């Protein structure tokens, strides 16, 4: 038998020959003949007990957490759980997989992203896609009609991952939901209040919460001439307006989904509008939209919602955005999505949304889909996109120290402004002599000398959050 190194070289050369023939689109007979030679050479080579044939890596779209990353994760979870509990929520848990039929037909076009498992013990199972459908199944199964709950757990989606932007195939969701019959818009307003509280507490940058209503969208599609059978698929296209231009979305509607161009243009006149309660009032006077019962109900509820949001002190963070569609099939009323804002490139420009970090909405019909008698339990909830938040916090921690022998003070102050750090402690030769620390407010640029023994208390005083009156 030839030496192992010689055989390995022959296998390599023969493999290149086979690949070359395939690229040249050689005849099947010729390729098969050369493949047979390659297999014969590999058989002579035999197994190599000394080599590992597997690659050490996590599966695509998943990650390990280092101790440093776990510390970030726990800090973020503490903020979120603290807010959920403050608002009176109880915690539940459900299995990581469900019967396949439980998840089927609940997610519209996104259903293709569900991970199906092989038949085990006569049951067809799927990994949970979110925490909302399992919650609805839990309510129906236990005949519950009233609960305020939170649930933090991993979910699974067979999606194209984008790890740097916090988009994975296995990831955590942090859900808060209110189930039960209550006066209109009060639970919905509380969910939006909670979303704003959490994002403000995490200090990850400016954000905006976009709000819309599925009834307004359905009414809008009806008056524009969209066939009933195309409502959901057109809704999915509209939802892409945060990532694509109107022309690209229109081309998808017309070219791929068969919508008439004039119908798409009518939709475009509406879905490119956004604003506050004044836009709601303007659309209530719209001669066509106001004649649609569904749209009128949705607009009336949104007007009431803005009244509660004003009382909660978060209306300035909310934008009524007609392009928000949320593709999931189970939403029936108000829908919302929080995006982080990128500062405007030029003065006078509007800030740009750079990614969703929370979302949710009302789903009054989902529990009834599981109840044998079809009994409905009204529900509304939100989900915090913690993986994206983890990524943002981790990136900021990477820049906590400037590894320079003599860093310039201006560079350090500029970093503090960008990172949202409120206070800077400056110690120079004079401060050392005087036994003080110069404390600088990053936003106002005001500087005060503080005695070293008083520094901790002064920082606590300046950074303490006002107590919550929820």
């Amino acid at each position: 038998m030839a030496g192992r190194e010689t055989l390995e070289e022959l296998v390599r050369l023969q493999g290149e020959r086979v690949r070359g023939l395939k690229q040249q689109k050689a005849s099947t007979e010729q390729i098969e003949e050369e493949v047979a030679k390659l297999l014969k050479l590999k058989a002579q080579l035999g197994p190599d007990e000394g080599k590992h044939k597997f690659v050490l890596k996590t599966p695509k779209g998943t990650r390990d957490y280092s101790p440093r990353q776990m510390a970030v994760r726990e800090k973020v979870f503490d903020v979120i759980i603290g807010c959920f509990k403050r608002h009176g929520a109880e915690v539940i848990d459900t299995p990581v997989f469900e019967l396949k039929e439980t998840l089927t037909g609940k997610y519209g076009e996104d259903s293709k992203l569900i991970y199906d498992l092989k038949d085990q013990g006569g049951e067809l199972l799927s990994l949970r896609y979110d925490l909302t459908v399992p919650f609805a199944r839990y309510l129906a199964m236990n005949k519950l009609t009233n609960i305020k709950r939170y649930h933090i757990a991993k979910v699974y989606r067979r999606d194209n991952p984008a790890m740097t932007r916090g988009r994975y195939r296995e990831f955590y969701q942090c859900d808060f939901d209110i189930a039960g019959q209550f006066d209109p818009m009060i639970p919905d307003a509380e969910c939006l209040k909670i979303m704003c509280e959490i994002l403000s507490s995490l200090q990850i940058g400016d954000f905006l919460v976009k709000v819309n209503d599925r009834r307004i969208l359905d009414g809008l599609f009806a008056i524009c001439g969209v066939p009933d059978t195309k409502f959901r698929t057109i809704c999915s296209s509209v939802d892409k307006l945060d990532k694509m231009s109107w022309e690209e979305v229109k081309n998808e509607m017309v070219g791929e989904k068969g919508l008439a161009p004039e119908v798409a243009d009518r939709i475009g006149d509406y879905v490119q509008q956004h604003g506050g309660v004044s836009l709601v009032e303007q659309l209530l006077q719209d001669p066509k939209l106001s004649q649609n019962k569904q749209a009128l109900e949705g607009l009336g509820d949104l007007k009431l919602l803005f009244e509660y949001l004003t009382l909660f002190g978060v209306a300035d963070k909310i934008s009524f955005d007609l392009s928000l569609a949320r593709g999931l099939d189970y939403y029936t009323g108000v829908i919302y999505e929080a995006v982080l804002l990128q500062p405007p490139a030029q003065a006078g420009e509007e800030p740009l949304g750079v990614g969703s970090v929370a979302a949710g909405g009302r789903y009054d019909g989902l529990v009834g889909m599981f109840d044998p008698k079809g009994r409905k339990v009204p529900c509304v909830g939100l989900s915090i996109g913690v993986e994206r938040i983890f990524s943002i916090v981790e990136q900021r921690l990477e820049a906590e120290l400037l590894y320079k022998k003599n860093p310039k003070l201006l560079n350090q102050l500029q970093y503090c402004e960008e990172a949202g750090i409120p206070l800077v402690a400056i110690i120079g030769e004079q401060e050392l002599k005087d036994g003080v620390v110069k404390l600088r407010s990053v936003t106002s640029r005001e500087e005060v000398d503080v005695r070293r023994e008083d520094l901790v208390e002064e920082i606590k005083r300046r950074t303490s959050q006002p107590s919550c009156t929820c």
Side-chain angles (χ1 to χ4, degrees):
M1 179 184 283
R4 185 167 190 87
E5 289 184 6
T6 305
L7 276 173
E8 286 177 345
E9 179 63 14
L10 289 172
V11 167
R12 187 184 69 78
L13 292 171
Q14 186 63 19
E16 287 181 359
R17 175 162 175 74
V18 169
R19 285 191 292 274
L21 288 171
K22 287 180 178 178
Q23 288 173 358
Q24 295 162 20
K25 293 186 170 50
S27 67
T28 305
E29 294 81 6
Q30 189 178 3
I31 292 173
E32 287 177 351
E33 184 181 340
E34 296 302 325
V35 167
K37 290 179 184 177
L38 176 61
L39 294 174
K40 190 174 179 181
L41 285 168
K42 284 185 175 180
Q44 290 179 45
L45 190 60
D48 183 358
E49 301 297 334
K51 288 187 177 180
H52 294 287
K53 299 297 182 184
F54 59 86
V55 178
L56 284 171
K57 65 184 288 291
T58 58
K60 186 178 181 183
T62 65
R63 68 185 295 194
D64 292 324
Y65 286 91
S66 68
R68 179 184 174 88
Q69 290 167 328
M70 284 297 291
V72 170
R73 195 181 79 173
E74 288 176 1
K75 179 183 176 184
V76 171
F77 281 159
D78 284 348
V79 170
I80 294 170
I81 292 171
C83 185
F84 288 167
K85 286 185 174 180
R86 230 174 21 247
H87 283 264
E90 302 172 286
V91 64
I92 70 163
D93 196 10
T94 61
V96 72
F97 45 78
E98 296 274 349
L99 294 177
K100 183 177 179 179
E101 63 188 33
T102 299
L103 306 183
T104 301
K106 312 299 188 302
Y107 302 106
E109 291 185 0
D110 286 347
S111 292
K112 62 182 182 293
L113 304 180
I114 294 173
Y115 271 109
D116 291 331
L117 304 177
K118 286 187 176 179
D119 181 359
Q120 295 289 335
E123 290 186 330
L124 292 175
L125 307 172
S126 298
L127 292 176
R128 61 187 173 203
Y129 179 87
D130 67 4
L131 300 178
T132 306
V133 171
F135 174 55
R137 188 265 306 154
Y138 174 87
L139 291 176
M141 191 171 151
N142 292 282
K143 297 181 171 56
L144 297 175
T145 57
N146 192 305
I147 188 175
K148 185 184 281 190
R149 83 85 166 94
Y150 76 89
H151 189 186
I152 295 178
K154 287 182 176 179
V155 299
Y156 301 85
R157 297 185 183 179
R158 197 162 49 84
D159 206 348
N160 290 321
M163 310 286 273
T164 55
R165 292 189 287 114
R167 185 171 176 173
Y168 300 88
R169 288 181 166 180
E170 176 195 63
F171 57 95
Y172 274 95
Q173 280 193 338
C174 300
D175 280 23
F176 173 98
D177 292 82
I178 301 171
Q181 191 73 50
F182 302 99
D183 287 344
M185 295 297 105
I186 297 177
D188 309 68
E190 184 178 15
C191 285
L192 287 163
K193 165 71 170 166
I194 290 169
M195 192 180 282
C196 291
E197 274 185 31
I198 289 171
L199 294 178
S200 296
S201 298
L202 289 171
Q203 297 182 335
I204 53 175
D206 288 337
F207 63 91
L208 181 73
V209 183
K210 300 177 182 179
V211 174
N212 199 1
D213 194 298
R214 287 296 281 264
R215 293 168 296 175
I216 297 173
L217 280 171
D218 285 352
L220 186 157
F221 293 153
I223 66 164
C224 289
V226 179
D228 290 355
T229 54
K230 290 186 184 290
F231 272 24
R232 287 294 169 258
T233 187
I234 296 303
C235 194
S236 178
S237 294
V238 169
D239 202 37
K240 296 176 183 175
L241 274 170
D242 61 335
K243 303 179 187 73
M244 296 164 55
S245 69
W246 165 246
E247 284 305 316
E248 290 173 307
V249 169
K250 180 185 173 181
N251 289 339
E252 179 178 294
M253 289 178 175
V254 176
E256 296 178 26
K257 301 186 175 179
L259 196 67
E262 61 274 15
V263 174
D265 286 334
R266 286 196 285 271
I267 293 171
D269 291 339
Y270 284 103
V271 298
Q272 295 181 79
Q273 297 185 63
H274 56 87
V277 69
S278 58
L279 178 58
V280 178
E281 290 168 346
Q282 177 187 320
L283 292 175
L284 280 167
Q285 305 303 318
D286 184 282
K288 292 182 179 177
L289 202 58
S290 61
Q291 297 305 307
N292 182 278
K293 184 183 176 184
Q294 273 188 303
L296 200 59
E297 286 176 0
L299 288 166
D301 278 351
L302 273 192
K303 185 176 179 181
L304 179 60
L305 177 67
F306 268 99
E307 290 179 21
Y308 287 128
L309 294 173
T310 301
L311 292 173
F312 279 144
V314 295
D316 61 321
K317 292 288 186 183
I318 313 295
S319 170
F320 173 31
D321 192 322
L322 281 157
S323 71
L324 180 67
R326 303 285 299 143
L328 300 178
D329 267 13
Y330 52 64
Y331 287 124
T332 57
V334 172
I335 50 178
Y336 33 84
E337 181 175 89
V339 294
L340 291 183
L341 295 177
Q342 183 175 284
Q346 308 255 338
E349 291 182 0
E350 287 191 6
L352 298 173
V354 293
S356 172
V357 286
R362 175 160 288 280
Y363 52 102
D364 288 346
L366 190 55
V367 178
M369 294 174 74
F370 296 113
D371 190 284
K373 296 182 179 179
R375 288 171 294 205
K376 292 186 177 182
V377 178
C379 294
V380 64
L382 65 99
S383 182
I384 304 293
V386 286
E387 300 293 349
R388 179 156 176 77
I389 291 170
F390 292 158
S391 297
I392 294 165
V393 176
E394 284 169 15
Q395 286 169 14
R396 290 193 169 174
L397 285 177
E398 291 300 322
E400 284 300 314
L401 292 175
L402 295 176
Y403 294 104
K404 290 185 177 181
K405 190 174 180 180
N406 294 304
K408 292 181 180 178
L409 181 60
L410 186 61
N411 290 345
Q412 295 180 70
L413 294 174
Q414 186 176 352
Y415 166 71
C416 291
E417 285 189 14
E418 292 170 356
I421 296 170
L423 295 171
V424 179
I426 302 169
I427 305 175
E429 290 183 10
Q430 190 60 48
E431 284 79 16
L432 286 171
K433 286 178 185 176
D434 298 342
V436 298
V437 175
K438 194 178 293 295
L439 205 58
R440 178 186 174 104
S441 167
V442 173
T443 51
S444 69
R445 302 184 181 179
E446 173 200 2
E447 294 181 347
V448 293
D449 287 340
V450 181
R451 290 188 306 171
R452 284 189 215 167
E453 58 267 32
D454 299 334
L455 182 62
V456 173
E457 285 304 315
E458 181 65 18
I459 290 173
K460 283 182 178 177
R461 186 184 70 79
R462 288 169 173 259
T463 58
S464 62
Q465 298 291 328
S467 59
C468 180
T469 56
C470 318

